[in-house]
Amino acid sequence: MRRTDADRLDDIAARGAAGMRDFLAHHYFATRPDIIQLPIDKRLPSLAAAVARLQDEAREH
């Protein structure tokens, strides 16, 4: 993720999402699905909304 994108998505903890991605990529077999599900349920709607805003802005420019 480019730094500018991370800065723009700061309200949804983009760095935390990147950290989770790294953990999943490198420790896949140690991952507990119940722990992963919580941030998905809590954060995915705001992430989807933030991505939609970025897409709208990109179309406008």
Side-chain angles (χ1 to χ4, degrees):
M1 181 179 296
R2 293 186 335 238
R3 182 159 175 73
T4 56
D5 291 339
D7 292 340
R8 294 174 76 194
L9 294 175
D10 200 33
D11 63 318
I12 53 142
R15 289 177 185 87
M20 180 177 286
R21 179 257 170 236
D22 290 344
F23 180 84
L24 290 171
H26 298 289
H27 304 283
Y28 179 78
F29 293 107
T31 302
R32 288 184 39 200
D34 57 318
I35 292 176
I36 300 302
Q37 191 63 46
L38 182 63
I40 292 170
D41 293 342
K42 297 282 184 181
R43 305 275 182 166
L44 191 58
S46 62
L47 175 60
V51 169
R53 283 193 305 272
L54 287 173
Q55 289 174 325
D56 289 344
E57 289 176 16
R59 283 187 206 105
E60 293 172 1
H61 292 77

